[in-house]
Amino acid sequence: MNRKGKTPRRPPLKKTSHTQKDPVGVYCRIRPLGATDEECCIEMISSTTIQLHAPDGIKANRNGEYKETQYSFKKVFGIQTSQIELFEDVAKPLVDDLIHCKNGLLFTYGVTGSGKTFTMTGSPGEGGLLPRSLDMLFNSIGPLQAKRFVFRTDDKNGMEIQGQVDALLERQKRESNQQSTVPKTPQKPDPEFADMISPEEACKCEGVDEDSCYSVFVSYIEIYNNYIYDLLEDTPIDPIRPKRPGGGTPLQNPELIPPQSKILREDQNHNMYVSGCTEVEVKSTEEAFEVFWRGQKKRRIADTQLNRESSRSHSVFIVKLAQAPLDADGDHILQDKNQVTVSQLCLVDLAGSERTSRTKAEGSRLREAGNINQSLMTLRTCIEVLRENQMCGTNRMVPYRDSKVTHLFKNYFDGEGKVRMVVCVNPKADDYEETMLVMRFAELTQEVEVARPVDRPICSLAAGRRHRNQAFRDELSRRQEEQDGSVLNQLLDSLPALPACELVDPTDEQILPRLIEVLERRHRIRQMITEQYTRTANTLKSMLQEFDGHLMAKENFIHEQRGKLGEKDKIMFNQKNEMDRLEKKSKMLEYKIDILQKTTNIYEGDKRSLQQELESREQRLQRELSERKRMEARMQGMVSDTKHQWEKECERRVNAKQLEMQNKLWVKDEKLKQLKAIVSESNNSATSEQQRPPPPPDKPQRNSREKDQPRAPEKRSRSPLPTTGTPIRPHHRRSHSAGGQRWVDHKPLSNLDLDTVMQPIIPNAIKVSAASEKALSKCHKYVLTHQELASDGEIQTKLIKGDVFRTRGGGQAVQFTDIETLRQECPTVSSRKRRSSGDGSGQHNGNKMDWNDRENRVSCPHYCPSLIHLG
């Protein structure tokens, strides 16, 4: 049966409101400048704040001014900070939590060449966070460790407990294998890590549970080009390929099989682990250093223009601590596998972000840089989504699976342990822009909160079992040493002395009975002493058991009181957290109320402005309505006036027509009377002429009927024709438009002056090139002179005439009534002919001429084809 870590997995975004959270601890470490004359862009203001200064040549804003930015951290370590000071504040609490069954994640972050590897690993004499963490762990649990192979890892991220016999057999097997492969000469420690930590700087954890047994397992992996490789895995030799002389790295030797990448899996508690990863059980700091350095030599590093030993992969050193309680006697590990607790501490050295424009990377180095930057960008994206989900209450999916780094450590951000980050920065001015990006990411990470891991349940067995068992053994051994000599001497003295005799014959009747009697008496005394010793031992055992019962009762009472006190402390802590949460909520609500108040004020201002605009529009609408009513009243008055005027005009015209008709009737009557008189006179003259001879013919006389008969009025159009221009011959005609009315003579500027006889000349007319209301208001008639090209290629002129009248809106309108077409033809006949569409054909007296002038008229007495409204 396997036993995983006691910390249960809490799914993200479904934590209860009582879950305690801690922000991600972000620290900043400033490395010293490489040269004293280099320009520095970072200034340490306080123990928690730094300030960035833009170097020369870099403008931070559009105004061309230098922008100084401040960033705050949990703590800032300057260039004078030692490795032990950094360890005391950053890594020591994580090791303490590891011993108390809590997980932890510590990683370094920064640009390339900022001192991340030195902070994590260190150098001889200046051990980094990793060796100091291992040293503190083994100093704390050194005498409490279980023997090798009592704890054994399985292939599913679990831990098993073996019996003493199985563990002994496996130890013997492993020792025999090592003796056959390892020479017997003692190995010297590697000088690269032999003097990492001085004895004066050694430290240990307080409050270690002495009633448990511990075992430490370490593993070392790297994430290279988004693939996971095991640095502790023994590279097998390819038997097919021969070994190439010259040596080289494992990847360069053709006889070595390239390492295979590992995959990530999820165990039954939904924790991520590297499947098939080598986990080595170590029992001392030196052994753990040796395992670490063995994997460190396989890690991929390269020389770039920014760093001579630049890490080309992310390294992860995992320290796994398994612990199980002792049994009631305190002698052996409790064989209940459900009591096994596993905690782990991950120490991560992230590869530095870099710009290829500065490193001049090509080929594989360019690919490595791209994968490093992509994994760091995925980490930044996950942090941003976590922050958004926590601060805004959203439920966005965190893209852990986009990178192996974030996928491996997703459980830590979901609440499986503390998370701490050390931001390493290089203060030189060349790294200013990259440092700005690192500072923004660090500032973002501090706002993410991680659920606090719960404490493991306390074992029901009495505390101090190991101490009591050890004290009992020490006391027993001491008493045995004291009583071994005295008790034996007293026992021998209490027995009867053997008689002095010399036995020569086995059938001696005197010596043998006395000897038998003495021996029987000694046997009875021995039995009595044995019974007395047994009774004394039983009495002592009962007394010890009674004392142990009283002690256990007192310990149970103390444990119960401690439990109650712990519950009270938890209640107080929960209440304090609840008060803090309510205070934060109150501040947040106050902030929201302020925002809502500001929004309400804005809306009120908009509402007032809209109401004012509505009122102004209503007033304008009322004015327009009143103006419309006035216009309607005015128009009604104008209509009534116009109607009255037209009624008077019609009445006047009717009276004039009646008078004209009466005059015509009177003229006809007069003519009839004259005709009667002529007829009667002609009759009288005829009778007299018959009586006398006829005179000689002189001139033909016109018939009096024809002479006196009135000429039929010439049929005219509704609108008189204008007179033509100055004639070439003395014979000319008067235009039908020659009247007493005033005309608007509209001649566009595009017309041509043809200088012919048929050009209209209208006396007392207003000549315009474009129709206007002002000109139309002064006249009663309108004529438009239009020129166009005829079918025979000659230019013909059209006179479009109409009447002008006022409209109801107070403007002017033109109603077209007649169209005259004037066209000049080539001289083909000797007589001048005139045709009119309104009149019948008539012959006029005239001389013989060399040209013809034609006039075509279209009268519109009953239908108006179009109207022109002006105004």
Side-chain angles (χ1 to χ4, degrees):
M1 181 177 180
N2 299 339
R3 176 61 182 167
K4 312 298 183 296
K6 297 294 290 182
T7 303
R9 181 178 183 268
R10 289 174 293 278
L13 302 173
K14 293 185 179 180
K15 304 179 180 66
T16 61
S17 60
H18 299 288
T19 303
Q20 300 174 3
K21 294 183 179 181
D22 294 322
V24 176
V26 181
Y27 302 83
C28 179
R29 186 180 192 183
I30 306 173
R31 66 161 291 173
L33 288 171
T36 56
D37 57 346
E38 285 186 342
E39 183 182 0
C40 181
C41 65
I42 296 178
E43 178 185 359
M44 182 176 173
I45 298 178
S46 64
S47 60
T48 59
T49 307
I50 65 173
Q51 183 172 347
L52 266 66
H53 303 277
D56 296 338
I58 297 179
K59 303 297 181 181
N61 53 19
R62 297 180 179 177
N63 298 329
E65 299 176 356
Y66 292 103
K67 183 178 181 181
E68 297 179 352
T69 311
Q70 292 186 1
Y71 296 94
S72 298
F73 298 90
K74 193 170 184 179
K75 191 170 183 179
V76 177
F77 301 95
I79 59 176
Q80 303 296 332
T81 303
S82 62
Q83 297 279 56
I84 184 63
E85 293 176 359
L86 181 68
F87 172 76
E88 289 286 341
D89 290 328
V90 178
K92 186 176 181 180
L94 296 179
V95 179
D96 193 5
D97 289 342
L98 176 69
I99 297 175
H100 291 88
C101 307
K102 296 178 182 179
N103 300 330
L105 171 64
L106 173 62
F107 61 94
T108 56
Y109 183 85
V111 300
T112 181
S114 58
K116 299 183 298 301
T117 303
F118 176 77
T119 299
M120 183 61 68
T121 306
S123 61
E126 296 181 353
L129 299 178
L130 188 148
R132 293 182 185 276
S133 299
L134 293 174
D135 185 65
M136 176 181 175
L137 176 63
F138 285 105
N139 290 340
S140 303
I141 65 170
L144 307 179
Q145 295 186 78
K147 294 183 179 180
R148 289 184 186 271
F149 307 113
V150 173
F151 292 95
R152 187 168 64 90
T153 60
D154 58 8
D155 296 332
K156 298 179 180 179
N157 201 31
M159 195 69 65
E160 296 177 348
I161 298 179
Q162 293 190 132
Q164 296 292 336
V165 178
D166 296 335
L168 179 60
L169 292 175
E170 193 164 353
R171 283 197 300 273
Q172 293 175 354
K173 182 179 178 180
R174 183 66 59 88
E175 289 174 359
S176 62
N177 293 334
Q178 289 181 353
Q179 288 177 0
S180 61
T181 56
V182 179
K184 295 183 179 180
T185 57
Q187 295 182 355
K188 295 182 179 180
D190 196 326
E192 292 186 351
F193 59 86
D195 299 328
M196 279 278 188
I197 304 170
S198 61
E200 295 80 10
E201 296 177 349
C203 60
K204 62 184 298 185
C205 177
E206 301 295 335
V208 180
D209 185 8
E210 296 181 354
D211 294 328
S212 297
C213 281
Y214 301 87
S215 186
V216 180
F217 296 84
V218 296
S219 58
Y220 198 15
I221 64 173
E222 73 170 351
I223 301 176
Y224 176 73
N225 287 339
N226 209 26
Y227 289 97
I228 300 176
Y229 296 98
D230 185 5
L231 295 177
L232 301 180
E233 184 179 23
D234 294 332
T235 305
I237 299 176
D238 191 352
I240 299 176
R241 298 182 181 180
K243 184 175 181 180
R244 184 177 297 177
T249 61
L251 290 178
Q252 296 174 347
N253 289 334
E255 76 278 1
L256 299 178
I257 299 177
Q260 299 295 321
S261 62
K262 306 299 180 180
I263 60 175
L264 291 176
R265 293 189 183 275
E266 192 175 37
D267 61 11
Q268 63 182 4
N269 292 332
H270 306 287
N271 294 319
M272 303 306 301
Y273 70 98
V274 181
S275 178
C277 180
T278 303
E279 294 181 343
V280 181
E281 185 178 10
V282 291
K283 295 298 179 183
S284 64
T285 305
E286 291 75 13
E287 186 179 358
F289 281 173
E290 183 180 357
V291 173
F292 167 74
W293 215 256
R294 190 174 73 213
Q296 185 73 3
K297 292 179 180 180
K298 294 182 180 180
R299 190 181 176 189
R300 293 172 173 84
I301 59 175
D303 184 11
T304 64
Q305 290 194 5
L306 299 182
N307 192 357
R308 186 172 59 85
E309 295 182 356
S310 176
S311 302
R312 312 311 296 167
S313 63
H314 309 297
S315 66
V316 182
F317 190 78
I318 303 174
V319 181
K320 188 177 292 186
L321 178 64
Q323 52 183 301
L326 297 174
D327 56 8
D329 294 334
D331 288 334
H332 306 289
I333 297 176
L334 190 65
Q335 293 299 313
D336 185 4
K337 296 181 180 180
N338 292 327
Q339 296 294 330
V340 178
T341 305
V342 180
S343 56
Q344 67 181 15
L345 173 62
C346 295
L347 303 173
V348 185
D349 181 14
L350 295 177
S353 59
E354 59 185 39
R355 292 188 177 182
T356 55
S357 60
R358 297 184 59 197
T359 59
K360 308 298 181 183
E362 296 178 355
S364 60
R365 298 291 170 266
L366 181 61
R367 181 188 176 194
E368 292 167 357
N371 285 291
I372 290 171
N373 295 336
Q374 181 63 34
S375 61
L376 296 178
M377 183 61 67
T378 304
L379 176 62
R380 180 185 180 91
T381 303
C382 293
I383 294 296
E384 289 177 351
V385 175
L386 282 172
R387 173 181 172 273
E388 181 181 352
N389 290 340
Q390 293 176 2
M391 299 188 67
C392 303
T394 58
N395 195 9
R396 289 181 55 192
M397 185 183 70
V398 184
Y400 290 120
R401 293 180 178 269
D402 292 351
S403 174
K404 291 294 192 300
V405 176
T406 55
H407 195 194
L408 178 61
F409 302 122
K410 64 182 290 290
N411 304 107
Y412 290 94
F413 293 103
D414 290 343
E416 292 297 333
K418 288 184 179 180
V419 180
R420 292 194 172 183
M421 179 176 71
V422 179
V423 177
C424 299
V425 294
N426 194 340
K428 67 178 181 178
D430 295 338
D431 293 343
Y432 173 75
E433 295 182 355
E434 290 86 349
T435 304
M436 283 285 292
L437 298 177
V438 171
M439 293 295 105
R440 292 171 185 171
F441 173 69
E443 190 176 32
L444 188 71
T445 306
Q446 292 183 100
E447 299 178 359
V448 176
E449 293 184 347
V450 179
R452 183 179 302 173
V454 297
D455 297 328
R456 67 162 184 169
I458 302 175
C459 181
S460 59
L461 298 176
R465 300 184 300 278
R466 182 191 294 269
H467 181 70
R468 290 198 305 272
N469 185 29
Q470 188 66 31
F472 176 74
R473 288 181 178 180
D474 294 342
E475 183 67 20
L476 184 61
S477 60
R478 186 182 63 80
R479 288 187 179 184
Q480 285 179 354
E481 290 176 358
E482 292 178 355
Q483 293 179 2
D484 280 345
S486 61
V487 171
L488 183 59
N489 294 329
Q490 292 178 4
L491 181 61
L492 293 176
D493 293 339
S494 62
L495 294 176
L498 294 175
C501 59
E502 182 179 357
L503 185 63
V504 179
D505 188 4
T507 59
D508 192 351
E509 296 293 338
Q510 294 180 357
I511 298 175
L512 286 177
R514 284 190 298 171
L515 185 60
I516 291 172
E517 182 181 1
V518 172
L519 291 176
E520 288 179 351
R521 201 181 333 164
R522 290 171 68 94
H523 179 67
R524 285 194 298 270
I525 294 173
R526 181 181 178 184
Q527 287 182 346
M528 292 174 60
I529 293 174
T530 303
E531 291 177 356
Q532 184 179 2
Y533 177 77
T534 303
R535 287 195 299 269
T536 305
N538 291 333
T539 304
L540 180 62
K541 186 176 181 179
S542 61
M543 290 175 63
L544 289 175
Q545 289 178 352
E546 184 179 0
F547 176 75
D548 195 8
H550 288 298
L551 182 62
M552 187 172 294
K554 290 182 179 180
E555 289 179 352
N556 290 334
F557 177 75
I558 293 174
H559 179 68
E560 183 179 358
Q561 295 298 323
R562 287 179 178 176
K564 291 181 180 180
L565 183 61
E567 291 178 358
K568 296 292 184 182
D569 291 339
K570 287 183 179 179
I571 292 174
M572 291 176 63
F573 187 77
N574 291 334
Q575 289 179 352
K576 183 179 179 181
N577 290 335
E578 185 69 17
M579 290 174 63
D580 294 339
R581 186 184 67 82
L582 292 176
E583 186 176 357
K584 291 182 180 179
K585 186 176 180 180
S586 176
K587 291 181 179 179
M588 181 61 70
L589 291 176
E590 290 177 356
Y591 177 69
K592 290 182 178 179
I593 289 173
D594 293 338
I595 294 177
L596 292 176
Q597 186 66 34
K598 293 179 181 178
T599 307
T600 305
N601 295 335
I602 294 173
Y603 286 161
E604 289 292 337
D606 294 342
K607 181 181 177 182
R608 286 193 297 269
S609 62
L610 291 175
Q611 285 181 351
Q612 292 176 359
E613 184 178 359
L614 181 61
E615 291 176 357
S616 63
R617 290 191 178 185
E618 287 180 352
Q619 292 175 1
R620 186 169 60 187
L621 181 60
Q622 291 295 334
R623 289 196 300 270
E624 290 178 355
L625 289 176
S626 61
E627 186 69 22
R628 182 177 179 182
K629 289 180 180 180
R630 286 195 299 270
M631 290 295 294
E632 288 179 354
R634 181 181 175 186
M635 292 302 297
Q636 288 178 359
M638 293 177 64
V639 168
S640 60
D641 294 342
T642 306
K643 182 178 180 182
H644 184 63
Q645 290 178 1
W646 277 105
E647 286 178 354
K648 289 183 177 181
E649 183 68 20
C650 291
E651 185 179 357
R652 185 185 61 79
R653 290 185 181 182
V654 169
N655 294 333
K657 197 68 175 176
Q658 288 178 357
L659 182 61
E660 183 181 357
M661 294 304 293
Q662 287 178 3
N663 292 333
K664 287 182 179 181
L665 288 175
W666 180 79
V667 171
K668 286 183 179 181
D669 290 342
E670 290 295 329
K671 288 183 178 182
L672 287 175
K673 289 179 182 181
Q674 293 178 3
L675 184 60
K676 284 181 180 182
I678 293 171
V679 170
S680 60
E681 183 180 356
S682 62
N683 290 333
N684 294 330
S685 62
T687 55
S688 62
E689 287 178 359
Q690 289 178 358
Q691 296 175 1
R692 62 185 177 184
D698 187 8
K699 275 186 182 180
Q701 296 289 333
R702 189 179 62 176
N703 193 0
S704 62
R705 183 181 297 272
E706 184 179 351
K707 182 180 179 180
D708 299 332
Q709 186 176 359
R711 295 180 60 184
E714 189 176 356
K715 196 172 184 180
R716 299 181 57 139
S717 63
R718 192 164 185 173
S719 204
L721 291 173
T723 59
T724 58
T726 304
I728 299 176
R729 296 292 185 265
H731 302 284
H732 66 275
R733 71 175 180 85
R734 185 175 178 85
S735 174
H736 293 283
S737 301
Q741 296 176 340
R742 197 168 185 183
W743 287 74
V744 175
D745 188 3
H746 181 188
K747 291 184 179 180
L749 297 176
S750 60
N751 288 358
L752 300 176
D753 189 7
L754 301 180
D755 195 20
T756 61
V757 296
M758 299 303 291
Q759 293 297 317
I761 297 177
I762 306 175
N764 197 21
I766 300 177
K767 296 182 180 182
V768 294
S769 60
S772 63
E773 182 182 2
K774 182 177 180 182
L776 291 174
S777 63
K778 299 178 181 180
C779 302
H780 300 87
K781 298 293 183 177
Y782 170 84
V783 59
L784 170 64
T785 303
H786 173 67
Q787 291 180 350
E788 64 182 9
L789 194 65
S791 61
D792 56 357
E794 295 293 336
I795 297 177
Q796 65 179 6
T797 304
K798 288 186 179 181
L799 303 178
I800 305 171
K801 294 173 290 184
D803 297 332
V804 180
F805 62 91
R806 291 175 62 86
T807 60
R808 297 180 63 182
Q812 305 294 328
V814 178
Q815 181 178 7
F816 294 107
T817 58
D818 193 9
I819 299 176
E820 286 190 28
T821 302
L822 307 180
R823 184 160 54 93
Q824 181 172 337
E825 296 181 351
C826 295
T828 56
V829 295
S830 60
S831 63
R832 181 181 179 185
K833 299 181 181 179
R834 268 187 100 158
R835 296 179 183 178
S836 177
S837 60
D839 300 339
S841 299
Q843 293 183 356
H844 298 274
N845 192 12
N847 295 329
K848 201 172 185 180
M849 312 186 74
D850 296 335
W851 49 271
N852 291 338
D853 198 356
R854 295 176 178 268
E855 176 185 358
N856 297 326
R857 301 181 60 216
V858 179
S859 300
C860 305
H862 303 293
Y863 175 72
C864 299
S866 61
L867 292 174
I868 294 179
H869 293 272
L870 299 176

